Amino acid sequence: MAKFEALDLYAIEDLLTDEERMVRDAVRQFVDQEVLPIIDEHHRAGTFPTGLLPKMGALGLFGPNLKGYGCPGLGNVAYGLMMQELERGDSGFRSAASVQGSLVMWPIYTYGSEEQKRKWLPRLASGEAVGCFGLTEPDHGSNPGGMITRARRSGDGWVLHGAKMWITNSCIADVSVVWAKVDEDIRGFLVEKGTPGFSAPEIKNKWSLRASITGELVFDDCRLPEDAILPGAPKGLKGPLGCLTQARYGISWGALGAAMACFDSARRYSQERTQFGKPIGAFQLTQKKLADMAVEITKGQLLAWRLGRLKDEGRMSPIQVSVAKLNNVGIALDVARVAREIHGAMGIIDEVPVMRHMMNLESVKTYEGTNDVHTLAIGRHLTGLDAFGAS
Ligand code: TGC
Ligand code: FAD
């Protein structure tokens, strides 16, 4: 396998600390040694290598920017670089880390009781336990505020009824963070594997994120103890949206990793493949394609880096995250499509990683707020006018 050559037209390397470079290089090595050799086999089979979860935990990939309870408390640029390297391997690996760290550990860390933190965070950080996040429902995707899953009080506990759809890691999760209506509020609950009335069937035959497990969460009058609720979560959509801000931040870095993998493959192929007596990289049309890809990746790197520094300073806003998620996933998908074109027919087989990344990025564009949702959020911020729906 050819060695990956990182793209760094703007000396972004100089903007990183020694610790950030060290962490990134450790994940880069993990991806080269443990992910890339097996990813095609898992992509073909539609499986995720769960055996690697403890290794990912040992590398600090789950909740790296949280501190205590087994988490290292790294800065947000280091966290972003980790997501970049993981997604250079495959979006499925970055998804696993995003869900575990940002959508499960972050709400437990931020909204959970001391008992919930002690019980779950160390095991989730090490990869011994797996978590999932249930917000989307069959009829409520972009508009989660319309959810119909409900929790009602019953005796000294709760009864949960409803269903969640398209949930990463649903059927392997030991704990699910589930959002449900309690009267008119939205509250978060921790639902443990094996709870009576709870099942998590897998969704099969995806064309995208094949090396990632996706499923449903079904609650049929599922009884939960009193302390299953996340006591500190804001009583409204702000609770789950706060988690999404964390995960969307990581995705804006991760998408760059997928783009870099596609660019690297296309640049290398353009130097090796000869037509009309010349390497195809010597044709001006190919150079324009490569130049455009490199320019977009560079702009995306600067967005992600600046966002990370703002996050470290406690100044990052959800709109800034929308800008980075919208832009970086969009350019990554464009880069993947042009990279496929540069490979000609070779681009359609799975020895070349670009179509795998391209197919994955279709999901990445859709989950955590579609491109339309982020566009409308930015539009609302700019105009003060809500174009989402009836309200
Ligand atoms: P809106 O009025 O905008 O907000 C309601 C309350 O929430 C606050 N808020 C946020 N807080 C933190 N972070 C954010 N990003 C926030 N956005 C809004 C807001 O301030 C307000 O607070 P308060 O105190 O006033 O109540 O709510 P809305 O109903 O207008 O909805 C806005 C909209 C459409 C943008 C939102 O519903 C949305 O983002 N929809 C997209 C749904 C989504 O992203 N789902 C993702 C599901 S999880 C997933 O996809 C995981 S993929 C995992 C993997 O990597 O594998
Ligand atoms: P819809 O909301 O039905 O949207 C369909 C189309 O309509 C989209 O193009 C959308 O942009 C557009 N649209 C919607 N509203 C508007 C509007 N107001 N104006 C203009 N256009 C609009 N969810 C979880 O809760 N947890 C998970 O772990 C999780 N993992 C996922 C993993 C994968 C592989 C995938 C594909 C999805 C996952 N999701 C998860 C669900 C994901 O968050 C939703 O798919 C996403 O929020 C979009 O919802 P939807 O698919 O129902 O599309």
Side-chain angles (χ1 to χ4, degrees), residues 91 94-96 98-99 103 133 135-136 141-145 166 168 209 212 236-245 247-248 251 318-319 322 366-370 373-374 377 380 386 388 391:
S91 304
R94 200 268 312 131
S95 258
S98 290
V99 169
L103 297 181
F133 177 88
L135 179 64
T136 306
S142 297
N143 179 25
W166 304 113
T168 300
L209 272 174
S212 172
L237 211 45
K238 198 174 185 145
L241 289 180
C243 311
L244 295 181
T245 294
R248 290 166 177 175
I251 290 174
I319 286 302
S322 284
T366 291
Y367 66 35
E368 301 273 6
T370 67
V373 160
H374 291 292
R380 181 168 68 177
D386 190 328
F388 278 109
S391 57

Side-chain angles (χ1 to χ4, degrees), residues 269-284 286-287:
Y269 190 76
S270 78
Q271 291 162 332
E272 291 163 1
R273 173 73 175 168
T274 300
Q275 287 293 289
F276 298 100
K278 279 183 176 179
I280 58 169
F283 299 125
Q284 289 180 358
T286 309
Q287 290 194 3

